Amino acid sequence: MKKVLYSLFFALILSIFSFNAFEAKASDKLSNRAEAIVEIGKLLGLDGTQKETQFKDVPKSHYASGYIQSAVDKGIINGYPDGTFKPNDKLTQAHLKTFISRTDSYLKTGKKPTTNNTSKGNGTLKGTVIWKYNDFIGTKGDTGAVIYLFPTNATYPSYTKQQLFDWLEKKNELKDVYRTLADANGNYTFNNLPAGKYIAVISSKNTHRNVLETLNSHNQLKTLFGEFNYSIFEANAMTIFKHQIREIEISDKSTVDFSADFGYTAW
């Protein structure tokens, strides 16, 4: 029976979503997250009776509430760390891959799949960001340097260009992305971070990179954040400014140091 469901599941996926490279962008053809979970839930025989969910943006009255909470119970979805599911978000390829992987695991084992962030508790990330002002004054804190944290267990939506620009200009915040600035001495701290794995990026405020040198894209962050989101982020936070990227893991009551010395500005 599971083999039949497994085959039907992938037939459904192929019938709903088109990733033809010669057609328009796949992201423009995808259903939203709620619609996708309803279809998957029906196929798997999940309970679709409307019910209270753990998400603040999916009330009992929402047409997909039953399937969404049932999918949570089976480990197929987990929403965002801020307690939302954003059901009307377009289902990106990253979302689809996650749903397929977790549904695959459920059909094969009947058990909830594990996630990247399995540890509990909270920890701290801190560091100092400096640069070389000149030979006379010497090293100074890289005041205003931006430190970004991307949890690796998050499923990021496809933001609009305006949302991303407003975020990069510090006019708003994005779900699942932590951000802070280096102070006058170049110091920064993230307190009470949920334990788990992250990709951390420090983007200098006062130093520019040599744009003639090859900019190596961070493939894991590109896959995690989404190619469109990443392209905007890279162009504005990494192409011009010196930066460092590091994969870190926060554990309960731990303190991780991630510092950067950017030296002289290239121009």
Side-chain angles (χ1 to χ4, degrees):
M1 180 62 179
K2 283 188 176 181
K3 288 184 177 179
V4 173
L5 285 174
Y6 189 75
S7 299
L8 288 174
F9 171 71
F10 285 101
L12 173 70
I13 289 296
L14 291 175
S15 68
I16 296 176
F17 308 111
S18 171
F19 293 114
N20 190 329
F22 297 100
E23 296 180 10
K25 281 188 175 180
S27 59
D28 295 331
K29 293 177 174 292
L30 297 176
S31 299
N32 64 38
R33 286 164 60 86
E35 291 171 352
I37 293 304
V38 168
E39 294 303 317
I40 291 172
K42 288 178 179 178
L43 181 65
L44 296 179
L46 301 183
D47 181 7
T49 305
Q50 289 176 298
K51 64 186 75 171
E52 298 293 338
T53 77
Q54 67 186 54
F55 304 117
K56 56 189 178 185
D57 59 345
V58 184
K60 181 179 179 180
S61 58
H62 192 283
Y63 75 93
S65 62
Y67 286 113
I68 288 174
Q69 188 57 46
S70 294
V72 170
D73 296 339
K74 299 300 183 183
I76 296 172
I77 59 174
N78 58 8
Y80 300 118
D82 68 351
T84 65
F85 184 68
K86 292 197 70 181
N88 297 321
D89 276 353
K90 283 186 177 180
L91 184 67
T92 66
Q93 293 190 40
H95 295 154
L96 181 58
K97 289 177 182 177
T98 299
F99 292 161
I100 289 175
S101 174
R102 292 178 181 174
T103 304
D104 179 32
S105 177
Y106 169 67
L107 288 173
K108 286 180 177 178
T109 68
K111 299 178 181 179
K112 276 186 161 186
T114 57
T115 60
N116 289 337
N117 289 20
T118 57
S119 54
K120 304 295 182 182
N122 299 86
T124 299
L125 176 68
K126 68 176 185 178
T128 303
V129 188
I130 58 176
W131 67 297
K132 194 69 171 290
Y133 187 79
N134 58 32
D135 291 334
F136 179 72
I137 295 178
T139 297
K140 296 182 63 175
D142 196 344
T143 306
V146 190
I147 301 88
Y148 303 90
L149 272 182
F150 300 85
T152 61
N153 71 333
T155 303
Y156 298 92
S158 182
Y159 306 101
T160 66
K161 187 178 293 186
Q162 190 61 54
Q163 284 177 308
L164 290 166
F165 284 158
D166 287 346
W167 171 61
L168 290 163
E169 292 176 4
K170 306 177 186 63
K171 295 179 180 178
N172 64 11
E173 296 298 328
L174 295 183
K175 290 180 181 297
D176 302 313
V177 183
Y178 297 84
R179 174 171 61 184
T180 193
L181 304 178
D183 64 19
N185 297 312
N187 299 316
Y188 75 90
T189 303
F190 288 101
N191 290 312
N192 298 314
L193 284 174
K197 296 179 180 179
Y198 298 81
I199 297 177
V201 179
I202 300 178
S203 176
S204 177
K205 171 69 173 179
N206 294 288
T207 64
H208 299 92
R209 61 180 292 273
N210 183 349
V211 294
L212 297 179
E213 295 179 354
T214 301
L215 177 63
N216 295 318
S217 295
H218 193 279
N219 290 328
Q220 183 184 0
L221 181 55
K222 181 187 295 185
T223 300
L224 177 72
F225 198 40
E227 288 197 20
F228 175 74
N229 298 340
Y230 179 82
S231 66
I232 302 296
F233 175 70
E234 182 182 72
N236 288 269
M238 298 165 63
T239 300
I240 295 176
F241 300 103
K242 287 189 176 182
H243 57 274
Q244 285 193 14
I245 302 179
R246 176 176 156 189
E247 295 164 28
I248 64 167
E249 184 165 5
I250 299 294
S251 56
D252 187 32
K253 299 178 182 177
S254 70
T255 298
V256 176
D257 184 280
F258 179 28
S259 298
D261 182 349
F262 290 119
Y264 291 103
T265 185
W267 46 276

